[in-house]
Amino acid sequence: MTEWTVHGTRRVYESEWMSVDLDDVEIPQGERFEHHVLRLPHPSTGVVVTDADRVLLLWRHRFATGAWGWEIPAGRCEAGEEPATSAVREVEEETGYRVGRLEPLITFNPLAGVSSHVTHIFEGTDARRTGEHDPAEAAKVEWVAADDIPRFIRKGLVPDGITLAALSTYLTLRST
């Protein structure tokens, strides 16, 4: 049996975006210690927007890592918002495109060892341009050939973990 026992939780930081807790845990061999856990109150969503053999991506800089890279449109659900509604909203806000059809692709925990966070990824199709992309979200928004994505990944041009999971899942399922 490898399930850990949680004896209690002590909150050390809280904001509207996240909380950091120290959980008093015991592992099956009997050792007991405090383990940091990042808790986010709302799930996040992301969308692999496709058009024939292309994917809509954002080229953006992330200050926390100091890295530029390609990402799918993504963001957090607002309080009470359904993941699919959030996904459509995030695509339009970040790219200037509105998806017409949305299908679930994958749901996963990006950092399961230290976080309770859940991310819902969708595939969006039938995108139509409704405006310009938000320059605070990305330096540029481009349709990228799906066949180019593995090369981008190998070159380190897709450093975001949620985007890596989403694109890898999309490409794998697309080829089956």
Side-chain angles (χ1 to χ4, degrees):
M1 186 109 164
T2 59
E3 188 171 339
W4 293 17
T5 301
V6 179
H7 295 283
T9 297
R10 180 169 54 95
R11 178 123 318 147
V12 294
Y13 173 79
E14 184 171 22
S15 75
E16 75 173 271
W17 287 87
M18 69 184 63
S19 61
V20 178
D21 296 336
L22 284 175
D23 284 3
D24 175 9
V25 298
E26 183 177 347
I27 60 176
Q29 295 80 11
E31 184 181 355
R32 195 166 164 172
F33 55 91
E34 286 189 316
H35 186 66
H36 287 86
V37 179
L38 175 66
R39 292 192 166 89
L40 285 76
H42 306 289
S44 62
T45 60
V47 184
V48 179
V49 181
T50 61
D51 176 25
D53 287 330
R54 302 181 307 165
V55 176
L56 188 64
L57 297 176
L58 298 86
W59 179 252
R60 65 178 304 166
H61 182 264
R62 291 295 188 174
F63 79 91
T65 60
W68 284 90
W70 291 106
E71 296 183 14
I72 62 169
R76 81 173 189 164
C77 293
E78 299 301 329
E81 185 178 39
E82 290 296 317
T85 303
S86 169
V88 170
R89 176 182 51 76
E90 288 290 341
V91 170
E92 191 163 13
E93 286 176 4
E94 294 184 2
T95 70
Y97 284 85
R98 183 165 184 86
V99 293
R101 197 173 120 257
L102 203 64
E103 295 291 330
L105 186 63
I106 186 173
T107 296
F108 66 101
N109 303 95
L111 294 166
V114 295
S115 177
S116 64
H117 189 57
V118 174
T119 299
H120 301 279
I121 303 294
F122 297 88
E123 180 182 358
T125 56
D126 303 326
R128 71 182 197 300
R129 191 169 187 94
T130 59
E132 296 300 314
H133 77 274
D134 182 348
E137 295 284 356
K140 61 184 173 180
V141 173
E142 290 186 11
W143 288 97
V144 175
D147 290 342
D148 288 341
I149 292 171
R151 182 174 49 85
F152 283 15
I153 291 171
R154 281 192 299 276
K155 290 176 98 176
L157 298 174
V158 185
D160 174 62
I162 289 173
T163 298
L164 279 169
L167 292 176
S168 297
T169 301
Y170 167 73
L171 292 173
T172 299
L173 296 178
R174 176 178 160 249
S175 65
T176 58

